Amino acid sequence: MRLAMLGGSFNPIHIGHLLLADEVCHRLGYDKVLFVPVNIPPHKELAKGAASWQRLDMIELAIAGNPRFGVETCEMERGGVSYTYDTINYLGKKYAGKMEGKLGLIMGDDLVEGFEEWGHYQELPLIADIILARRICWDGTQRKSFPYPHVELDNGVLPVSSSQIRAAGSGKQDSGAVASWRYLVPESVYRYIIQRKLYGCTDN
């Protein structure tokens, strides 16, 4: 089994996350992608609006029915600050004998700039196959080079982010923000958010 992981806050999970995971399966031949919700991010503050267990609930709702998708809760169970290096080592042991080759680490090109601030960043390409995916629409000249072994994923890019959804739900109309967010998440996730009034969202 070829296995890859996609980490993040998923606050909330949206169609861009799902498309990216599906592209990894179809374009690179991975059999399964594990969504790994972070416990405490090491380089940014986790936005408020949903508890950890609610973020997990939304992932499970979003991936239901797709056998290629799974969820891994090791970072939440470990507690404290979540480090990708620890997660990769954990998954390598958990799937030893079941996984073909190294674990695929899906990483958005929006994270290239701060990659060298990651814990054990020099060792990550040794223990995982880095899959560098497009998350934002570069013009081909702006992105900082990534001088580490990796595979470029020529994936489609949807201009959607969790922060946009949270802002729209709370009624903020900042420049470039969306006013309607219902179809940026799966229907099951939309109903979950509305029923619990997460992020200040209401059904209107």
Side-chain angles (χ1 to χ4, degrees):
M1 173 179 64
R2 297 192 67 206
L3 182 67
M5 65 163 278
L6 177 60
S9 59
F10 303 112
N11 192 24
I13 191 169
H14 55 67
I15 58 174
H17 296 128
L18 300 171
L19 174 63
L20 175 56
D22 209 35
E23 291 254 50
V24 167
C25 292
H26 285 278
R27 291 181 181 272
L28 300 181
Y30 279 85
D31 300 298
K32 198 174 191 69
V33 172
L34 296 175
F35 290 78
V36 185
V38 69
N39 186 56
I40 299 176
H43 303 299
K44 66 177 182 179
E45 185 176 352
L46 188 64
K48 298 178 180 179
S52 294
W53 62 270
Q54 291 173 320
R55 291 188 289 121
L56 178 59
D57 281 350
M58 288 187 281
I59 295 172
E60 292 176 336
L61 288 170
I63 68 175
N66 190 333
R68 289 185 171 183
F69 293 168
V71 62
E72 172 56 60
T73 59
C74 63
E75 294 190 352
M76 289 183 172
E77 293 170 1
R78 243 188 349 254
V81 177
S82 302
Y83 293 103
T84 300
Y85 177 81
D86 295 335
T87 300
I88 293 172
N89 281 317
Y90 170 82
L91 292 175
K93 294 176 182 177
K94 180 176 180 177
Y95 289 94
K98 301 177 182 178
M99 183 170 59
E100 177 185 338
K102 292 187 288 187
L103 179 75
L105 172 61
I106 306 170
M107 184 179 126
D109 57 8
D110 54 331
L111 301 177
V112 166
E113 189 72 32
F115 179 73
E116 293 182 355
E117 298 175 7
W118 292 26
H120 302 278
Y121 74 91
Q122 292 174 313
E123 297 176 51
L124 292 180
L126 303 177
I127 61 174
D129 290 324
I130 296 178
I131 302 165
L132 193 59
R134 295 190 299 162
R135 289 291 303 274
I136 48 182
C137 299
W138 297 101
D139 64 6
T141 61
Q142 297 177 357
R143 194 185 79 194
K144 180 181 177 181
S145 63
F146 189 71
Y148 303 97
H150 68 279
V151 173
E152 296 266 354
L153 181 67
D154 187 23
N155 58 294
V157 181
L158 295 180
V160 53
S161 69
S162 297
S163 59
Q164 284 180 318
I165 295 169
R166 294 194 302 269
S170 63
K172 295 180 180 178
Q173 295 298 317
D174 298 332
S175 176
V178 294
S180 174
W181 60 276
R182 177 171 185 161
Y183 297 105
L184 299 181
V185 298
E187 178 67 16
S188 57
V189 174
Y190 173 77
R191 298 312 316 173
Y192 185 94
I193 292 173
I194 291 298
Q195 289 167 4
R196 290 156 182 80
K197 296 182 172 60
L198 301 183
Y199 318 113
C201 298
T202 58
D203 194 358
N204 51 30

